[in-house]
Amino acid sequence: MTIRPAGRVYFDHNATTAARPEVVEAMIPWFTDRPGNPHSIHHFGSEAHEAVEGARASLAALIGCAPDEIIFTSGGTESDNLAVRGSVRGKARPHVVTSMIEHPAVYATCRDLERGGVEVDYAPVDEDGVVSLDAFGDALRPDTALASVMLANNETGVVQPIADIARLCRARGVPLHVDGVQGVGKIPVDVEALGIDMLSVSAHKFYGPKGIGALYVRRGIELERFMTGGAQERGLRPGTMNVPAIVGFGEACRIAREAIPGEAMRIGRLRDRLQAGLLERTGGIIVNGGGVRRIPNTISLAVPRIEGEAITLNLAVLGFAVSSVSACASGSEETSHVLLAMGLEPDVAQGAVRISLGAQNTDDEVDAFLEAFPAVVSRLRELSPL
Ligand code: PLP
């Protein structure tokens, strides 16, 4: 059977998204005729200050906090580092509890801290990729300086029981950091309702610009800076503020707040149709985390005995952009630590493909993928020595 090339179909929105036209438009003046530094006292400075505060208010409205609880950073990775490193810095023999499925921005940071004498417990997950509440609760101690769990997993899309984890943390007086990078902008997130003390957000995962993010820090939470410099962002994030990116971030938050209910439903329907079609047309594949709550745009497939990378490359030749191991991990990790933690055998986990949909995807693209994917898999199966 010949497989028709599909042009350019982008199904890799968990890696990054294109900025919305409104976002780009809002940013442009702040590159050109509005050059002010928000900390300057002249009128260029004050208009930049006003724009930054408008964006802060927009993010605060999206996640249900006060604007002065937000620290702008360069993205999710920096926010995670600030929360994790900032919580243990200066403490004698601190203890951290996290999970086995965190993004490298958290787990590599924890591994790095371990080399410096910090003690870290990694709570396991069940076969659906949900963090074990029992194990998590048992790991919390009186000297635990921080608990850190992601809101939604970047590979499987599985949403973690944050409100339950927060209750365990509150009962033991442990602050809870949540890496919200794959959840914020895709599903409603309210830090009050969920009991979150710190939340990492990244604009480029929901149609904002790359290189800008934020950390929500609840009033009263003690955090140490890990970068030294000026007094920007209450001294927690020194450096001249990236005004164009912050303005674009604010616009992405404003749009997300209005768009989430409709878009989540539309993308969720596309995803469910795609998933059902793939299962029907391709024998022997598994949906990782398919039985539990996920963000609406993600499908993680395991195709036993075929390399996920081979599938991804073959699909790329046909014009489809999906990913095998997540973009952040590829190159450094051969088999997904997330899927191994869920109990998949290494040869099954190696056949993982992540499909992540977004606002611009259409039914026609889903139909084209439903033709291409089974054909690619069957061709690779014919070639496979296994
Ligand atoms: N946390 C999660 C769950 C992610 O998926 C990512 C990016 O893929 C990050 C953190 C890092 O975010 P950024 O690319 O903004 O540094």
Side-chain angles (χ1 to χ4, degrees):
M1 172 187 174
T2 47
I3 314 170
R4 264 182 313 119
R8 280 162 62 87
V9 176
Y10 190 68
F11 280 173
D12 202 12
H13 291 82
N14 285 9
T16 194
T17 62
R20 292 188 199 266
E22 302 94 312
V23 166
V24 176
E25 210 171 297
M27 292 170 69
I28 287 170
W30 302 98
F31 285 113
T32 52
D33 49 345
R34 296 180 157 192
N37 180 325
H39 290 89
S40 300
I41 55 170
H42 45 65
H43 58 280
F44 288 96
S46 37
E47 70 181 9
H49 175 77
E50 236 171 79
V52 164
E53 293 317 307
R56 205 186 297 278
S58 176
L59 172 57
L62 181 65
I63 62 171
C65 71
D68 66 1
E69 294 175 304
I70 283 170
I71 309 290
F72 284 116
T73 66
S74 65
T77 301
E78 188 188 332
S79 298
D80 286 344
N81 270 267
L82 177 57
V84 177
R85 293 182 190 278
S87 296
V88 300
R89 221 174 128 85
K91 298 201 165 90
R93 300 194 55 75
H95 174 240
V96 172
V97 180
T98 185
S99 84
M100 288 174 74
I101 57 159
E102 296 304 307
H103 185 273
V106 168
Y107 84 68
T109 303
C110 287
R111 290 270 184 237
D112 188 50
L113 288 172
E114 280 184 287
R115 285 192 285 275
V118 175
E119 206 184 327
V120 184
D121 277 314
Y122 299 85
V125 296
D126 65 17
E127 59 183 26
D128 287 314
V130 179
V131 172
S132 156
L133 289 176
D134 287 345
F136 201 89
D138 289 347
L140 295 169
R141 310 193 314 218
D143 65 334
T144 305
L146 182 74
S148 179
V149 180
M150 68 202 322
L151 175 60
N153 184 266
N154 43 302
E155 293 182 32
T156 61
V158 169
V159 176
Q160 300 301 321
I162 296 298
D164 296 329
I165 290 171
R167 268 190 288 279
L168 294 173
C169 291
R170 286 264 160 101
R172 290 167 177 80
V174 174
L176 172 64
H177 164 247
V178 171
D179 176 343
V181 168
Q182 291 291 351
V184 174
K186 295 179 186 161
I187 54 173
V189 176
D190 183 310
V191 291
E192 273 318 313
L194 291 170
I196 295 171
D197 295 311
M198 284 181 272
L199 179 75
S200 298
V201 184
S202 179
H204 75 98
K205 303 292 186 183
F206 62 103
Y207 316 107
K210 294 168 182 55
I212 189 74
L215 182 67
Y216 153 74
V217 184
R218 181 185 291 280
R219 266 185 221 125
I221 291 292
E222 282 173 30
L223 201 59
E224 288 256 338
R225 60 162 75 190
F226 77 98
M227 267 160 70
T228 44
Q232 292 94 343
E233 300 299 88
R234 293 192 268 140
L236 286 170
R237 207 295 176 156
T240 302
M241 303 188 77
N242 186 347
V243 178
I246 290 172
V247 168
F249 187 10
E251 184 65 5
C253 292
R254 186 191 65 73
I255 297 171
R257 209 167 152 231
E258 289 169 9
I260 284 175
E263 214 156 72
M265 198 113 91
R266 192 187 76 81
I267 293 172
R269 262 201 301 266
L270 271 186
R271 191 270 309 267
D272 292 345
R273 190 166 79 77
L274 179 57
Q275 180 175 308
L278 290 172
L279 288 173
E280 194 185 299
R281 294 172 186 214
T282 323
I285 60 172
I286 304 155
V287 177
N288 303 307
V292 291
R293 184 178 173 216
R294 289 173 295 166
I295 44 176
N297 74 322
T298 307
I299 305 173
S300 166
L301 290 175
V303 186
R305 291 178 298 284
I306 295 184
E307 295 281 331
E309 204 160 300
I311 300 173
T312 304
L313 287 173
N314 275 269
L315 287 167
V317 169
L318 296 170
F320 296 98
V322 300
S323 65
S324 36
V325 188
S326 76
C328 308
S330 47
S332 60
E333 194 177 60
E334 286 196 349
T335 310
S336 155
H337 71 286
V338 175
L339 301 179
L340 293 177
M342 289 165 69
L344 267 71
E345 293 298 328
D347 69 320
V348 178
Q350 267 176 14
V353 177
R354 179 184 70 183
I355 304 156
S356 47
L357 307 183
Q360 283 93 15
N361 291 138
T362 63
D363 274 297
D364 285 349
E365 291 174 331
V366 164
D367 289 336
F369 194 81
L370 283 173
E371 297 244 323
F373 186 87
V376 163
V377 169
S378 87
R379 191 161 64 191
L380 288 170
R381 279 181 177 155
E382 278 164 25
L383 296 173
S384 168
L386 306 169

